[in-house]
Amino acid sequence: MADALRELPQAVHPSLLIGYNQADDAGVYRINENTALVQTVDFFPPIVDDPFYFGQIAAANALSDIYAMGGTPLTALNILCFPKGKMDAGVLTDVLRGAAEKLEEAGVVVVGGHSVKDNEIKYGVAATGIIDPNKIISNAGARPGDKIFLTKPLGTGLITTGIKNQKVSDTLELIVTRQMAELNRVASEMMIKYEAHAATDITGYGLLGHSYEMAAASGVTIRIFSEKVPLLDQALELAEANMIPGGALDNREFLNGRLKFENKIEENLEKVLFDPQTSGGLLIAIDPSRADAFLAEAKSLDQDCWLVGEVVARAECEILVR
Ligand code: CO
Ligand code: CO
């Protein structure tokens, strides 16, 4: 969509605080001095076979863009494409039930939706939240010295591809499914409390692609410590077995010339760093003086959180990996 939008005049409005031209997670529109709307939409075909979990994942994934801005999601609209007559309507009920439970967990009210007939089922959510316009955590505020944290391990693209090819145990399938269905709410509340300088969520562009977006928007370079990046079980194994989802190659190509490996990284680990994620964790830039307390807080809340990198002054390219 970004390519198509480039042809259009950029949206300019005094109340539009964050628009689509900024490649941020969600749009932000000021209502008054203290309140702005945060809006986002995402929908896709099933990422897992279980319709209930598919609904949960799609809902968690859509809300993630609001959490990534530091917003509070309030309402949701269901978006559904459904092969009427070709699929048991019970499947549809399960998708919507999974989503409804996840949205309720987030304190979000479903206010409506729309469905169209299509060959393949697709589901997602258009979500609206609120935020204090003075406390927006965009992806453009990272400063040299900041520590970079990640709140979910990587490898969902490789593992869901592995599931489709019967290479993954039921146990791991359940672990990755639950991880994708997990809200980024606690991570978001933490980053608000610790006044994160910048944040985004890790989705289709992978860890390196989303790190690039943050670095580019902030005018800095981000260095990723590859050996500190958390990985799901079997992620390296599935990389070795070439269970590579389509988007990974696009991610690698996009970063050509924008990324430098400072030393030789193990090939399979490299593949995981480019792996597109579904409903991935938050990538958060925290002031170095608060980094230890931030990690301790995560631990006390039982929130996964790993130090995976640092921000430095803009170097020869936006992303360095060591
Ligand atoms: Co996002
Ligand atoms: Co999105």
Side-chain angles (χ1 to χ4, degrees):
M1 181 128 81
D3 287 334
L5 284 173
R6 209 164 290 135
E7 304 297 318
L8 298 180
Q10 293 192 352
V12 180
H13 187 282
S15 296
L16 181 65
L17 304 180
I18 297 199
Y20 60 73
N21 47 312
Q22 274 144 289
D24 216 315
D25 295 296
V28 182
Y29 184 94
R30 181 172 43 219
I31 301 292
N32 59 39
E33 250 171 67
N34 309 313
T35 311
L37 290 180
V38 192
Q39 295 183 289
T40 184
V41 57
D42 208 349
F43 70 119
F44 42 69
I47 181 92
V48 293
D49 287 337
D50 185 305
F52 179 85
Y53 269 124
F54 169 47
Q56 293 227 312
I57 292 166
N61 179 72
L63 297 184
S64 177
D65 276 329
I66 293 184
Y67 289 130
M69 304 299 295
T72 305
L74 294 180
T75 60
L77 296 163
N78 287 315
I79 297 163
L80 182 71
C81 304
F82 188 68
K84 198 164 173 241
K86 283 191 242 164
M87 197 181 247
D88 179 2
V91 172
L92 183 54
T93 308
D94 285 344
V95 172
L96 294 173
R97 194 160 46 88
E101 282 186 22
K102 187 51 65 177
L103 293 166
E104 194 187 335
E105 180 191 331
V108 170
V109 182
V110 178
V111 294
H114 186 70
S115 61
V116 290
K117 229 171 110 177
D118 197 3
N119 293 328
E120 188 187 20
I121 188 166
K122 298 179 192 78
Y123 172 75
V125 167
T128 300
I130 49 168
I131 193 168
D132 179 338
N134 306 303
K135 292 185 177 164
I136 298 167
I137 303 175
S138 83
N139 63 6
R143 305 173 199 166
D146 284 355
K147 303 294 179 192
I148 298 287
F149 293 93
L150 175 66
T151 64
K152 287 185 187 180
L154 300 181
T156 63
L158 290 154
I159 293 171
T160 50
T161 306
I163 292 170
K164 285 175 194 134
N165 291 279
Q166 279 98 41
K167 301 236 184 250
V168 173
S169 71
D170 290 350
T171 317
L172 180 59
E173 182 171 348
L174 191 61
I175 289 170
V176 75
T177 299
R178 286 194 175 143
Q179 176 182 308
M180 291 188 290
E182 202 174 293
L183 294 174
N184 281 329
R185 179 173 52 185
V186 176
S188 178
E189 288 166 354
M190 270 175 42
M191 78 174 187
I192 295 166
K193 181 171 172 188
Y194 284 84
E195 296 169 325
H197 292 160
T200 190
D201 59 334
I202 305 298
T203 51
Y205 301 144
L207 174 66
L208 296 181
H210 289 282
S211 298
Y212 167 80
E213 283 190 329
M214 183 184 284
S218 302
V220 297
T221 284
I222 292 177
R223 174 182 283 118
I224 297 293
F225 309 133
S226 64
E227 79 286 357
K228 296 206 172 158
V229 172
L231 308 179
L232 280 157
D233 270 358
Q234 268 194 53
L236 293 172
E237 216 174 288
L238 292 164
E240 172 75 31
N242 263 317
M243 294 289 120
I244 310 290
L249 298 174
D250 298 340
N251 290 347
R252 198 178 274 267
E253 200 168 300
F254 174 77
L255 287 167
N256 193 10
R258 296 166 163 151
L259 168 151
K260 192 184 141 190
F261 288 98
E262 294 182 294
N263 42 258
K264 181 93 189 92
I265 309 291
E266 203 249 315
E267 200 183 322
N268 294 322
L269 177 56
E270 209 179 292
K271 291 178 191 169
V272 187
L273 300 180
F274 287 107
D275 187 44
Q277 305 299 289
T278 298
S279 195
L282 296 186
L283 187 77
I284 305 170
I286 295 279
D287 193 274
S289 68
R290 312 196 75 176
D292 290 342
F294 181 74
L295 254 188
E297 173 107 359
K299 199 162 190 197
S300 76
L301 294 172
D302 215 11
Q303 165 65 52
D304 281 344
C305 190
W306 293 270
L307 175 74
V308 297
E310 64 183 0
V311 180
V312 296
R314 174 59 63 80
E316 59 201 286
C317 52
E318 288 85 350
I319 298 295
L320 299 171
V321 183
R322 76 153 58 135

